[in-house]
Amino acid sequence: MQYKFVMFMSWVVCHTPYKLVMAAGWILGQLYYLLIKKQRELAVKQMMPALGLSESEARKMVRASFVNLARNVLEILYMPNITPKNFHKYIEIDHLERMTDALAEGHGVVVLTGHIGTWEWLSAAFTMNGLPVTAIAKPQPNMQYTNALNDLRKTINVEIFSRGTSELLAAAKALKKGKILGFLADQDGGPGGAFIPFLGKVAATPQGPAVFACKFNAPVLPAFILRQPNGKHKVVIGEVMRFEDTGDTDKDLFDFTVKMTKIIEDIIRENPTQWLWFQKRWNTPPEQQKLGKHHTVKAQEDAR
C-alpha cells in the first residue's frame, strides 16, 4: 500500500508544473516545522552549539531547512521528469572534467557527499551526462518505501546497494568496473566508526569512503549539490583526493576520514539551511567505540 501511495504521489508531482511543486514545498516545509515538534527541537538543539547561534537564530535557520527538506522530498518524487534533454533547466555543474578525468584512470571513483541540498539529484547530474553511477544507501525502516525510492532512483539510472548488507560486495565490483560509487558520509557510523570531531562534537564517522579508496586504489572526489537563490541546483565537485599509505593502515584510514569529514563540515557551515539537522549524527557516544581504535584523542586535539 505504501509503495503504491509513493508512486501515485510521484505521478501527481510529475504532472504538476515545477514552480507549483516548489511553492507546495514551501507550504509543506512551514507546516512540517510547526507540527513536527520532536524533529524541530532536536534540530534547534544540535544547530545552536554547532554554529554558535542563539536560539532565535537557530529556529529561523531550522525553519528554512525544513522548507528545503520538503522541496527535496517533492523533487525526489519529480525525478521521473528529469531527462538528458532537460536536466540543464534544473542543474548546473562546476568542474565536470574532474569527474571524467578521475574515471579515465580506470579504478572507479569514490564520491564523498552527504545529506545536503537535494542529494538524490546529485546522481542525476552525472547519469544525465552519461556517467555510470552507483551508491551505497541506508534502507528505510519500511521496505515498501525503500522499494519505491529505489524505483524512483532507477528513473535516473542509478544503481543502489544497501548499507550493512552483502550488497557491499556488488558495490566493490561496481567500483572495480570503473563506475562511480557514492557515499553519504554524514551519518552516525556506530561503534565501529572513527570517532572524529564534527561540528564541534565528537561523532562516530563511517570509514567506508576511505576503506574503498584504500582497497581499490580509487580516487575520491567530494561532490555536493546546492540549491541556489535562483531555484536551480549547482553541483560543486572538489579537487581529487587520494588515500596515502604510510604502512599503518588503521591510522591512514582514520587520517583520511578526518580530512574528508572536514570537507563535509565546511560545506554544512557554508550552507546550514541545506543539511538535515535533526538526524541522529551524534547518536553513538565515544565510550561505545570498538577496541582497536586509538586515534580519537589525537583528532580531538588537532581540532582545537
Side-chain angles (χ1 to χ4, degrees):
M1 183 66 183
Q2 292 95 333
Y3 175 89
K4 290 182 178 179
F5 174 75
V6 172
M7 301 312 288
F8 172 72
M9 291 305 300
S10 176
W11 182 89
V12 171
V13 170
C14 286
H15 286 79
T16 303
Y18 182 72
K19 287 186 177 181
L20 286 181
V21 172
M22 291 298 95
W26 186 89
I27 295 171
L28 291 173
Q30 299 290 344
L31 290 173
Y32 190 35
Y33 176 82
L34 293 173
L35 298 176
I36 312 300
K37 180 179 179 181
K38 182 177 179 180
Q39 292 182 337
R40 179 186 71 225
E41 295 306 312
L42 178 59
V44 171
K45 178 182 177 182
Q46 294 187 153
M47 180 184 282
M48 287 172 62
L51 300 182
L53 300 177
S54 66
E55 183 177 342
S56 61
E57 291 171 329
R59 290 190 181 279
K60 183 178 179 180
M61 283 200 175
V62 167
R63 182 187 287 264
S65 74
F66 276 37
V67 170
N68 181 75
L69 175 60
R71 287 174 167 167
N72 182 351
V73 171
L74 293 177
E75 284 173 327
I76 291 172
L77 297 175
Y78 192 81
M79 285 197 298
N81 275 358
I82 301 176
T83 70
K85 291 183 178 180
N86 70 12
F87 84 95
H88 291 290
K89 288 172 52 180
Y90 311 105
I91 304 170
E92 59 185 56
I93 307 177
D94 266 1
H95 297 296
L96 181 61
E97 76 281 355
R98 290 176 178 169
M99 181 61 72
T100 54
D101 289 348
L103 282 170
E105 295 179 18
H107 299 288
V109 174
V110 170
V111 165
L112 173 73
T113 193
H115 294 85
I116 301 165
T118 303
W119 59 88
E120 297 286 353
W121 280 28
L122 178 63
S123 298
F126 298 132
T127 61
M128 296 303 151
N129 277 285
L131 303 180
V133 177
T134 66
I136 294 175
K138 182 179 179 180
Q140 300 297 311
N142 185 304
M143 280 308 298
Q144 289 200 39
Y145 285 126
T146 298
N147 293 337
L149 182 55
N150 286 342
D151 281 352
L152 289 172
R153 287 162 170 159
K154 287 177 184 177
T155 68
I156 56 170
N157 303 315
V158 178
E159 185 178 7
I160 296 296
F161 307 112
S162 295
R163 173 182 164 188
T165 71
S166 60
E167 291 183 12
L168 290 182
L169 295 175
K173 290 179 180 178
L175 196 63
K176 289 177 71 175
K177 290 178 181 177
K179 297 182 179 182
I180 295 168
L181 180 61
F183 286 85
L184 290 159
D186 60 342
Q187 296 174 301
D188 182 85
F195 284 78
I196 295 169
F198 182 74
L199 296 172
K201 185 178 178 180
V202 173
T205 303
Q207 294 195 85
V211 170
F212 274 74
C214 167
K215 188 169 183 178
F216 300 102
N217 193 29
V220 176
L221 280 182
F224 304 92
I225 186 165
L226 305 171
R227 193 183 303 277
Q228 302 299 296
N230 64 4
K232 291 189 71 172
H233 300 267
K234 184 176 183 179
V235 173
V236 179
I237 303 175
E239 298 279 357
V240 68
M241 303 174 69
R242 301 185 188 278
F243 177 80
E244 297 179 11
D245 185 358
T246 68
D248 185 341
T249 302
D250 281 349
K251 182 177 184 301
D252 293 340
L253 289 172
F254 182 88
D255 290 346
F256 197 32
T257 303
V258 169
K259 291 179 182 178
M260 290 188 283
T261 300
K262 181 64 165 59
I263 289 173
I264 295 176
E265 184 181 54
D266 288 346
I267 286 288
I268 293 171
R269 289 187 185 280
E270 292 166 5
N271 304 275
T273 63
Q274 299 198 42
W275 191 57
L276 295 183
W277 285 94
F278 57 78
Q279 67 173 315
K280 298 176 181 178
R281 181 64 182 90
W282 297 272
N283 205 38
T284 305
E287 56 266 25
Q288 288 188 13
Q289 67 178 309
K290 288 183 178 180
L291 296 177
K293 308 286 184 182
H294 303 298
H295 305 293
T296 304
V297 174
K298 182 180 183 300
Q300 290 176 273
E301 292 173 348
D302 291 345
R304 289 172 182 166

